[in-house]
Amino acid sequence: RKEVEQDPGPFNVPEGATVAFNCTYSNSASQSFFWYRQDCRKEPKLLMSVYSSGNEDGRFTAQLNRASQYISLLIRDSKLSDSATYLCVVNMPYGGATNKLIFGTGTLLAVQP
Amino acid sequence: GAVVSQHPSWVICKSGTSVKIECRSLDFQATTMFWYRQFPKQSLMLMATSNEGSKATYEQGVEKDKFLINHASLTLSTLTVTSAHPEDSSFYICSASRGGRRATRELFFGEGSRLTVL
């Protein structure tokens, strides 16, 4: 089983649609969680951190379910500029005091006009 | 603006040559930087953790003699791909955290270096 799993997509949605991405992680001791956005042939950029109580940033809502080891990202009112790959990132313990950020393979979103 | 700068952004080289990639933190000191590799349609894979003033920590399966890392200053880490082969062709990305050694805070990524080995 992969440490961080995501549906690779692609998700093709019309402008204005609401779309949700899911991510599962294998290590229950994982401590922090993030969603990154990566445009084609570009470096990843932080979209938002994911907090246990769930958090919202404009059209974006992130949720965490520790019991199910599941993270989600909801995008409302999709814009053309939202088209990108969304990476689920989990900070996992890796022996002793070492932590490591593990990246999912990403979910590709294509917003259509 | 960018807080981590990477150079070169792309490079094409012949098989057997060595290629050096630089990663600089622009407005903060980074005692720790991270080097990732990303193959097409795959996730970022951590190659090594670069520690200023000491040896890098390599991930399992990454050859330390092939991927030489030097972190001689608080703002610069370099990755040298020695005797590059076509299978080394990939997107190499560095990153640094303003928060220090633990990868618990936001990572700022360089723009990436796309290496093509002919």
Side-chain angles (χ1 to χ4, degrees), chain A residues 100, chain B residues 35 46-51 55-70 78-80:
Chain A
K100 190 188 299 186
Chain B
W35 286 97
L46 180 64
M47 298 176 66
T49 302
S50 172
N51 305 300
K55 291 182 180 180
T57 304
Y58 289 82
E59 296 301 304
Q60 194 172 16
V62 178
E63 299 174 56
K64 62 180 181 181
D65 294 329
K66 180 167 183 65
F67 299 99
L68 301 179
I69 291 174
N70 185 290
T78 62
L79 168 69
T80 300

Side-chain angles (χ1 to χ4, degrees), chain A residues 6 11 15 18-19 26 30 39 53 63 68 86 91 96 105 113:
Chain A
Q6 291 182 254
F11 282 57
E15 269 187 291
T18 295
V19 61
S26 61
S30 299
D39 292 295
S53 55
Q63 293 199 313
S68 302
Y86 290 83
N91 185 23
T105 52

Side-chain angles (χ1 to χ4, degrees), chain B residues 46-104:
Chain B
L46 180 64
M47 298 176 66
T49 302
S50 172
N51 305 300
E52 186 270 334
S54 65
K55 291 182 180 180
T57 304
Y58 289 82
E59 296 301 304
Q60 194 172 16
V62 178
E63 299 174 56
K64 62 180 181 181
D65 294 329
K66 180 167 183 65
F67 299 99
L68 301 179
I69 291 174
N70 185 290
H71 195 152
S73 79
L74 287 170
T75 59
L76 174 64
S77 175
T78 62
L79 168 69
T80 300
V81 183
T82 62
S83 186
H85 291 285
E87 58 265 31
D88 297 324
S89 299
S90 187
F91 191 45
Y92 293 86
I93 312 177
C94 71
S95 69
S97 170
R98 279 175 161 154
R101 293 182 182 275
R102 291 273 188 107
T104 55

Side-chain angles (χ1 to χ4, degrees), chain A residues 49-110:
Chain A
S49 301
V50 186
Y51 301 120
S52 297
S53 55
N55 48 300
E56 187 175 306
D57 182 2
R59 298 182 292 110
F60 300 85
T61 301
Q63 293 199 313
L64 167 65
N65 184 323
R66 285 189 184 272
S68 302
Q69 295 177 209
Y70 170 97
I71 306 157
S72 66
L73 176 67
L74 183 77
I75 305 176
R76 290 182 299 278
D77 189 22
S78 300
K79 311 288 184 192
L80 293 176
S81 57
D82 293 334
S83 298
T85 297
Y86 290 83
L87 303 171
C88 175
V89 184
V90 177
N91 185 23
M92 291 188 180
Y94 245 75
T98 302
N99 284 12
K100 190 188 299 186
L101 284 183
I102 305 297
F103 287 76
T105 52
T107 299
L108 179 61
L109 171 66

